[in-house]
Amino acid sequence: NHHRPFPTTMTITKSTRYLILAATATASLSVCYAMKVAVTGTTGRLGRQAIQLLSSNGVQTRCLLRHPIDASIYPSIEKDASSSQVASYLSKLRGVSMVEGDATNAASCKELIEGCDAVLSLHGPVRPPPLQSLFCLLPESDPKHSRSVNYLAVQNLIDAVKDSETCKRIVRVTGKGESPTQIFTVLINMLGNMAKAWNYEGEQLLRTSGVDYTIVRPGVMGKDDIPTNKVLALADNGGDLKVTPVTHSQIASLCVKCLLYPNAAKSTLTAMNVEEGTGEESYGPLLAEVESDTRDFPTSLVSEHKKAARNGAAILAAVMAVLLSGTVAVVKFFGGVVIGLASR
C-alpha cells in the first residue's frame, strides 16, 4: 500500500524502479498528448474537471452526452451552472467533441470510443428520490437504475473496447464497497438503488474482462476547502485507507495521470488524503510504485449488499414506528390535558 513519501524509505531496488518508471512517464507525456481519450459522465463534477485537464494538455477528447447542445444556452462552468450550460462550455474547449448517446446503450459506447486510445469511465447514477429507492419502485432494468449505470454500462464499455482496434485502456471511478454492512455503504444502497452493490459488480466485470483497467476508489468527493499540501495517498491492490474528503480535481488528475503509467494497468487504487505534509504533492511518485492486482477479490457481493440493505430498511422502519408511536402518545396525552382543561 503505497502512501508514504519515498525519498528516505525506499530501497535501492525501489529507487531504481521509481526512476525508470518516472522517466517512462515523462517520456510518455508527448505520447499522452497525442492520444485521443473518451469520457463518460461528461457534465458531472468529476467529468468536467477531467475534460478541462485533458483539453488544457492538448489531448483530443470525445465526450458522451445524453442530449444535444442547446445553442441558445449560455455556456458556463460555474458550480451552480446547469448540465446544459456545462455541456455548452465544454464543447467549445480545444480538442473536445461531443457524441450524443448514453453509456447504458451499447451502440453509443462503440461510437464514443471510435478512434480513441483510452476511456475514462466517470459516469454515475442520478440520485433517486429516497422513497423510490427504499421501496424498490424503480425496476433494475430501468436505464436510470444503478444496475444499468454502474454495471451494464461498464459491460458496454468493455465490449466496445474489445471490438476496438485502438482503445485498450479503461479507467473507472467507483468507491469503497467491499464491506456491505458498513453503515455508509448500507445508507447509500438504501437511498441510491443499490449504487455501492452494482459499483462493485462493475469492478468485477473489469477484473475478469482481460482488458487493461485501472479502478479508482476515491474518498468522499465534494469539499473543495480541504488541505492540499502533500496530502495525496494511494493504496494499490484495493488496499484499505481511512476514508477522507478528496476534491474532484484531485481525482480527475489521478484518472488522467493513470494513462501515463503502464504499471497501473489491471490495478485497483484506493485514493484518499492523509495528514498535511505526510503524503505526496502529486500522484506521479505514487503511481510509479503501483503494482497490478494480486489478491483474490470476492467474485460477487450483490447478495450480501442487498441483505444488508434490507436489514437496514427493517431497522429504519422499526425506529420510525417507535418514533411515530411515541409521537401519537404525546399528542394523545396533551390532547387529553387540553380537553380536561376545557371541560372545567
Side-chain angles (χ1 to χ4, degrees):
N1 298 339
H2 312 292
H3 59 278
R4 298 185 180 86
F6 295 103
T8 59
T9 58
M10 288 172 55
T11 64
I12 293 176
T13 302
K14 282 188 175 181
S15 297
T16 303
R17 182 169 180 268
Y18 166 68
L19 290 172
I20 292 172
L21 288 170
T24 301
T26 302
S28 298
L29 283 173
S30 58
V31 176
C32 180
Y33 300 157
M35 292 175 66
K36 182 180 285 188
V37 177
V39 178
T40 65
T42 297
T43 59
R45 293 282 301 280
L46 182 58
R48 68 182 73 172
Q49 293 275 358
I51 293 165
Q52 290 178 91
L53 182 58
L54 289 165
S55 174
S56 66
N57 283 300
V59 181
Q60 296 291 310
T61 309
R62 286 170 63 83
C63 310
L64 193 63
L65 196 62
R66 287 196 296 270
H67 307 289
I69 298 293
D70 187 346
S72 66
I73 293 291
Y74 179 76
S76 175
I77 200 67
E78 297 301 320
K79 187 177 293 186
D80 60 349
S82 68
S83 59
S84 296
Q85 288 179 300
V86 173
S88 180
Y89 178 93
L90 295 174
S91 69
K92 300 179 186 303
L93 295 178
R94 181 182 61 167
V96 172
S97 59
M98 297 293 175
V99 177
E100 189 176 344
D102 194 297
T104 60
N105 180 276
S108 294
C109 291
K110 288 185 179 182
E111 182 182 358
L112 172 69
I113 70 166
E114 185 177 341
C116 291
D117 302 285
V119 55
L120 303 186
S121 176
L122 311 181
H123 64 274
V126 176
R127 185 180 299 175
L131 292 181
Q132 180 196 81
S133 181
L134 276 172
F135 293 101
C136 303
L137 301 179
L138 189 69
E140 287 189 345
S141 58
D142 191 285
K144 294 181 181 179
H145 195 281
S146 294
R147 182 177 183 272
S148 297
V149 179
N150 291 347
Y151 181 71
L152 295 181
V154 173
Q155 184 63 65
N156 288 340
L157 289 173
I158 291 171
D159 293 340
V161 167
K162 285 185 173 181
D163 289 342
S164 171
E165 295 182 359
T166 59
C167 194
K168 302 302 178 186
R169 183 82 171 272
I170 299 177
V171 177
R172 171 64 176 155
V173 174
T174 59
K176 294 185 69 175
E178 284 190 66
S179 303
T181 57
Q182 199 267 342
I183 183 63
F184 190 60
T185 297
V186 172
L187 287 173
I188 290 178
N189 279 332
M190 286 170 54
L191 302 176
N193 287 323
M194 303 303 297
K196 284 281 190 179
W198 291 113
N199 247 343
Y200 182 79
E201 301 304 305
E203 288 186 357
Q204 282 299 94
L205 288 176
L206 288 166
R207 293 191 187 98
T208 58
S209 68
V211 170
D212 280 350
Y213 66 86
T214 303
I215 295 168
V216 177
R217 295 174 169 179
V220 181
M221 293 184 286
K223 288 187 176 181
D224 294 323
D225 55 340
I226 60 175
T228 56
N229 181 33
K230 293 186 177 181
V231 296
L232 303 179
L234 289 181
D236 58 11
N237 219 20
D240 190 39
L241 290 175
K242 180 183 177 182
V243 177
T244 62
V246 295
T247 66
H248 289 92
S249 61
Q250 287 174 333
I251 303 305
S253 172
L254 173 59
C255 291
V256 172
K257 287 188 176 181
C258 281
L259 302 177
L260 300 176
Y261 292 84
N263 58 298
K266 292 185 169 61
S267 66
T268 301
L269 307 178
T270 304
M272 301 292 171
N273 286 347
V274 291
E275 185 178 350
E276 195 167 17
T278 65
E280 287 290 343
E281 193 72 45
S282 71
Y283 283 112
L286 298 169
L287 285 168
E289 284 293 296
V290 164
E291 296 179 357
S292 299
D293 291 335
T294 56
R295 72 182 177 92
D296 292 327
F297 289 82
T299 303
S300 174
L301 291 173
V302 69
S303 296
E304 289 86 342
H305 276 284
K306 287 184 175 182
K307 180 179 179 181
R310 285 196 300 269
N311 291 340
I315 293 171
L316 179 62
V319 170
M320 294 299 292
V322 170
L323 292 175
L324 182 61
S325 176
T327 301
V328 171
V330 170
V331 171
K332 284 184 176 180
F333 171 77
F334 282 104
V337 172
V338 171
I339 292 174
L341 291 174
S343 62
R344 289 182 179 179

